[in-house]
């Protein structure tokens, strides 16, 4: 069995592919079980569940703070039609809208340019305001600057949007704009209240191996960690696999496919080469336990 338990459709603000396209890719890649986990929204997962060619596990990825780190929690098995999930999406869209102009001004000041706002807005989809993704696309297309060459034609040009974000816009970088995101404890509690399983997504890029963050998540009853994903090398995967085994937590695998936004990541690129049957069975068992 092959699975990909973490991918994104164009209902995510930073992804590009339709649900139909993702399902076609999944068939081509011989993926048996799929979970579309869009950022703070539910439409992709609900749409995928309307077909019966590929088994779909209900999913969503929620951005939140864990202490002073932004983490992503993938939630599986919840009723995505619940009003709490709808309210979560609306709050997130409102926050994206609030920081959009602030981030645009910071980027224009940094690179001494004036970007075409109409062009930026034309790239949006799904009812989202423009974000760093659209700003970066126009910046890298229209502006010549020595700092940008590495993303335009250099060694980071294969995944320029993601690389630019982590280098310049993440926490601690000059372009970071603080978002008012929920606390991880509240999100884990909500996921459990709605009978879902809470997993820390791609932990290498959010919490690394910081013991204080790992312990905080475990103490707050996190259900597991995404041990295998496109960002993890085998050492990372072994670390989180061992952690899940030691603490009797759920281990998941996912590509974090985003389409053209992260062109070096293909659907199914989880880094896990074995039979996924036991991984899927364990996740489904835990979902069933949550649902009583």
């Amino acid at each position: 069995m092959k699975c990909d338990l973490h991918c994104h459709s164009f209902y995510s603000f930073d992804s590009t592919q339709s649900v139909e396209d993702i399902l076609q890719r999944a068939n081509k890649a011989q993926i048996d079980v799929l979970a579309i986990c869009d950022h703070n929204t539910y439409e992709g997962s609900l749409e995928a569940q309307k077909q019966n060619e590929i088994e779909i596990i209900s999913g969503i990825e929620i951005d939140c703070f864990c202490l002073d780190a932004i983490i992503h929690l993938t939630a599986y098995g919840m009723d995505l039609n619940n009003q709490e999930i709808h309210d979560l999406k609306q709050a997130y869209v409102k926050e994206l809208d609030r920081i959009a102009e602030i981030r645009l001004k910071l980027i224009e000041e940094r690179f001494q340019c004036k970007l075409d706002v109409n062009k930026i807005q034309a790239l949006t989809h799904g009812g989202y305001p423009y974000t760093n993704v659209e700003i970066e696309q126009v910046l890298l297309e229209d502006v010549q600057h020595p700092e940008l060459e590495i993303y335009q034609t250099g060694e980071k040009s294969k995944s320029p949007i993601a690389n630019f974000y982590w280098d310049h816009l993440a926490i601690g970088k000059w372009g970071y704009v603080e978002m008012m995101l929920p606390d991880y404890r509240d999100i884990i509690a909500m996921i459990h209240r709605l009978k879902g399983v809470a997993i820390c997504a791609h932990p290498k890029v959010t919490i690394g191996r910081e013991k204080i963050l790992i312990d905080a998540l475990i103490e707050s009853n996190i259900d597991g960690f995404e041990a295998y994903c496109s960002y993890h090398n085998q050492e990372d995967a072994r670390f989180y696999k061992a952690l899940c085994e030691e603490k009797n937590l759920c281990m998941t695998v996912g590509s974090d496919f985003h389409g053209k936004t992260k062109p070096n990541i293909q659907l199914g690129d989880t880094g896990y080469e074995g039979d996924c049957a036991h991984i899927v069975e364990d996740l489904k068992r835990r979902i069933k336990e949550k649902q009583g």
Side-chain angles (χ1 to χ4, degrees):
M1 175 186 285
K2 185 175 182 181
C3 72
D4 189 336
L5 300 175
H6 181 182
C7 65
H8 294 268
S9 76
F10 63 9
Y11 290 109
S12 284
F13 75 93
D14 61 348
S15 186
T16 60
Q17 308 306 120
S18 68
V19 172
E20 181 181 4
D21 177 78
I22 289 171
L23 293 172
Q24 290 174 354
R25 289 170 184 259
N27 273 315
K28 187 174 181 180
Q30 297 183 312
I31 292 170
D32 302 289
V33 182
L34 188 72
I36 295 179
C37 299
D38 285 316
H39 287 288
N40 308 288
T41 196
Y42 41 83
E43 294 95 335
S45 186
L46 291 177
E47 183 177 332
Q49 291 175 56
K50 294 177 181 178
Q51 56 79 52
N52 55 15
E53 293 183 17
I54 295 175
E55 182 177 357
I56 303 295
I57 295 178
S58 168
I60 184 173
E61 183 174 20
I62 302 172
D63 299 20
C64 55
F65 272 106
C66 179
L67 306 182
D68 49 358
I70 293 177
I71 67 168
H72 298 169
L73 298 178
T74 46
Y76 300 98
M78 291 193 304
D79 175 11
L80 295 178
N81 287 303
N82 189 281
Q83 187 62 44
E84 286 193 72
I85 303 298
H86 291 234
D87 293 344
L88 179 83
K89 175 187 175 176
Q90 293 307 313
Y92 188 70
V93 171
K94 184 177 180 181
E95 191 62 6
L96 287 176
D97 189 41
R98 182 186 68 84
I99 71 170
E101 189 174 344
I102 300 172
R103 181 166 273 163
L104 175 61
K105 288 181 178 179
L106 283 172
I107 289 175
E108 288 179 333
E109 290 172 1
R110 173 80 174 198
F111 298 105
Q112 299 179 337
C113 63
K114 188 67 177 176
L115 299 179
D116 185 340
V117 177
N118 290 330
K119 185 175 180 180
I120 292 171
Q121 291 175 329
L123 295 172
T124 63
H125 57 271
Y128 284 101
Y130 70 81
T131 68
N132 64 287
V133 172
E134 292 80 24
I135 296 171
E136 289 178 57
Q137 285 179 294
V138 174
L139 175 73
L140 296 177
E141 285 177 8
D142 295 356
V143 176
Q144 299 300 314
H145 189 282
E147 285 189 67
L148 300 178
E149 291 176 3
I150 192 171
Y151 309 102
Q152 294 166 326
T153 58
E155 63 184 46
K156 296 188 177 184
S157 61
K158 290 185 178 180
S159 187
I161 303 299
N163 286 326
F164 184 93
Y165 174 83
W166 291 114
D167 290 347
H168 299 286
L169 307 181
I171 288 181
K173 307 298 183 179
W174 61 264
Y176 174 66
V177 180
E178 185 174 6
M179 292 186 72
M180 291 184 285
L181 297 173
D183 184 84
Y184 71 105
R185 291 164 293 193
D186 294 333
I187 294 302
I188 292 174
M190 182 195 75
I191 293 168
H192 290 164
R193 187 165 60 251
L194 299 182
K195 305 184 186 304
V197 170
I199 302 292
C200 180
H202 44 60
K204 176 183 180 178
V205 297
T206 54
I207 65 174
R209 300 186 190 181
E210 292 290 332
K211 187 176 186 300
I212 188 171
L213 295 173
I214 293 172
D215 288 347
L217 288 168
I218 293 173
E219 289 168 8
S220 298
N221 296 317
I222 192 82
D223 293 299
F225 293 86
E226 187 178 64
Y228 288 81
C229 76
S230 55
Y231 308 114
H232 291 189
N233 59 33
Q234 288 302 306
E235 185 179 344
D236 299 319
R238 284 193 293 269
F239 174 84
Y240 278 102
K241 180 177 184 289
L243 177 65
C244 289
E245 291 173 345
E246 177 189 352
K247 302 294 184 180
N248 190 30
L249 297 172
C250 183
M251 182 189 83
T252 64
V253 303
S255 64
D256 197 32
F257 171 79
H258 278 70
K260 294 178 183 178
T261 310
K262 297 181 180 180
N264 60 322
I265 300 174
Q266 300 301 315
L267 197 69
D269 286 352
T270 67
Y272 187 79
E273 301 298 334
D275 187 339
C276 290
H278 68 289
I279 295 173
V280 172
E281 288 170 7
D282 184 48
L283 176 59
K284 291 165 72 173
R285 176 183 63 81
R286 292 171 187 265
I287 291 172
K288 187 175 181 180
E289 288 175 355
K290 297 290 184 186
Q291 295 177 348

